Each structure stands twice: as structure tokens, then as C-alpha cells.
């Protein structure tokens, strides 16, 4: 059984965490440096990672000796820091796009689209929503990601740097709220 409201909530949550709009400056930079950037390949690679984590993430973490609670807490702290970067315009993490052999996989598919924040969120969502609802949310987000990746040049021309910065800050606040929610759900005093 699934709920359209749940699918909508999952989709919006993942949209805020994936933050493909907020990642546009990095994606545009990668596209300029990678002559054969393929939006479909980047989308499929990130989708495979997200779907793997949806169905086998807990088993994988268990194999690595990490429980979901610890992974979720670590991910919420990472999301918190990423949100602060987006809101305050500071850079704590360095993107090594120029060092990547293939921009289709690194840094676009991982960690920009399917990073630890996204993977943590997928695992966290499993405690509230069923796998089918999350899968539909992932697929909707992958469609959005693909459209945005295909349209980066057009988006850059139409929005300009000021609008992109405002959108990034807005989604930074959403991401900050999600980080606090995940942290408060898994923390035990």
C-alpha cells in the first residue's frame, strides 16, 4: 500500500537533500572541464547508488560494522555542515573536480547527487515510509536531476548568478531543517 502524500513528502525531502539546483555552480564547472559529460550516465550512476542503498544499504553498513543510527547521525552532521556552507557561502569541503577522471561519476554522480547525505536520508526514510514510496521518490528525483543536467547551460543563462545564489540559500535552510530532524530522531541522551 502506498500514499500519494507520502510519495510527495519523500520526493520533496530527497529533492532538498540532492539539491541539484544548489549544485549547479559545481556541475557547470565540471561540464566545462569534462569534454564528454553525459547527463544520462551521471543520472544512472547516481540512481544505481541510491537504489542500492534503498534495498541493501543496511546490509552493506552492517558488513562494514556500522549501524544505521551511527550512519544517520554522521550523515546528519554532514548535512548540517553542508547546509551551513550553502547558507553562509563558506567552503569547508573542497571539490576536486579538476582531479576527477570522469565528471560523470565523480563529483557529479557521487558525492553531489548521491552523496552521504542522500544515502543517509534514504536509510532514514525507510523507518517511516515503505520501499515503494521511496523508490518512486528516487525515480522522480532522478528525472528532475536528468532534466537539470541536460539544461544547465539554459538555466545558467536564464537565472543568472544572483538567482542561483538565492535558490542555493533557500535549499540550504531546508537542508538544515532536515539535518536537525534526522539528528533529533536518532540521538539518545
Amino acid at each position: 500500500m502506498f500514499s500519494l502524500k507520502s510519495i510527495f513528502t519523500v520526493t520533496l525531502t530527497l529533492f532538498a537533500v540532492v539539491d541539484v539546483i544548489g549544485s549547479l555552480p559545481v556541475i557547470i564547472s565540471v561540464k566545462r572541464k569534462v569534454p564528454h559529460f553525459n547527463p544520462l550516465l551521471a543520472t544512472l550512476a547516481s540512481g544505481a547508488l541510491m537504489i542500492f542503498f534503498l534495498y541493501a544499504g543496511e546490509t552493506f553498513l552492517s558488513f562494514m560494522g556500522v549501524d544505521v543510527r551511527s550512519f544517520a547521525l554522521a550523515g546528519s552532521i554532514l548535512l548540517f555542515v553542508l547546509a551551513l556552507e550553502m547558507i553562509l557561502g563558506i567552503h569547508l569541503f573542497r571539490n576536486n573536480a579538476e582531479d576527477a577522471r570522469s565528471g560523470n561519476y565523480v563529483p557529479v554522480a557521487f558525492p553531489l547527487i548521491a552523496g552521504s547525505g542522500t544515502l543517509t536520508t534514504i536509510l532514514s526514510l525507510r523507518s517511516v515510509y515503505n520501499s515503494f514510496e521511496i523508490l518512486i521518490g528516487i525515480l522522480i528525483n532522478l528525472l528532475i536531476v536528468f532534466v537539470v543536467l541536460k539544461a544547465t547551460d539554459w538555466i545558467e543563462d536564464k537565472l543568472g548568478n544572483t538567482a542561483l545564489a538565492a535558490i542555493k540559500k533557500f535549499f540550504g535552510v531546508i537542508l538544515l531543517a532536515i539535518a536537525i530532524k534526522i539528528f533529533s530522531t536518532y540521538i539518545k541522551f
Side-chain angles (χ1 to χ4, degrees):
M1 203 65 197
F2 67 93
S3 157
L4 289 178
K5 180 183 177 194
S6 295
I7 291 171
F8 182 73
T9 302
V10 167
T11 301
L12 285 182
T13 301
L14 287 174
F15 181 76
V17 173
V18 169
D19 188 31
V20 70
I21 304 296
S23 299
L24 273 174
V26 176
I27 293 167
I28 289 167
S29 172
V30 170
K31 278 185 73 171
R32 290 178 183 151
K33 294 174 183 172
V34 177
H36 302 293
F37 181 79
N38 186 330
L40 180 61
L41 193 57
T43 303
L44 291 175
S46 59
L49 189 55
M50 286 189 265
I51 292 169
F52 170 78
F53 242 76
L54 173 62
Y55 292 107
E58 288 183 51
T59 304
F60 176 73
L61 290 176
S62 177
F63 179 73
M64 300 299 287
V66 177
D67 61 80
V68 174
R69 180 177 171 267
S70 299
F71 188 75
L73 284 170
S76 71
I77 293 168
L78 179 61
L79 286 176
F80 185 85
V81 172
L82 291 172
L84 288 178
E85 278 190 350
M86 292 168 65
I87 295 166
L88 302 175
I90 58 174
H91 298 286
L92 299 173
F93 296 107
R94 300 287 178 230
N95 290 314
N96 292 325
E98 59 276 351
D99 296 338
R101 297 209 185 264
S102 174
N104 294 312
Y105 303 110
V106 179
V108 177
F110 179 83
L112 285 179
I113 297 169
S116 61
T118 302
L119 302 177
T120 299
T121 302
I122 289 169
L123 288 178
S124 299
L125 289 170
R126 287 199 59 196
S127 65
V128 180
Y129 305 101
N130 69 49
S131 295
F132 181 74
E133 293 167 336
I134 300 169
L135 178 62
I136 297 299
I138 289 171
L139 294 175
I140 291 169
N141 272 280
L142 289 173
L143 180 63
I144 294 167
V145 164
F146 177 71
V147 168
V148 170
L149 291 178
K150 284 291 278 187
T152 52
D153 295 333
W154 181 84
I155 292 170
E156 183 182 20
D157 289 341
K158 296 299 177 194
L159 290 180
N161 291 333
T162 304
L164 284 174
I167 290 169
K168 186 173 186 174
K169 289 186 186 309
F170 173 76
F171 280 105
V173 172
I174 301 279
L175 194 58
L176 186 62
I178 291 168
I180 291 169
K181 182 178 179 181
I182 293 170
F183 188 83
S184 65
T185 300
Y186 285 96
I187 193 70
K188 292 180 183 176
F189 291 103

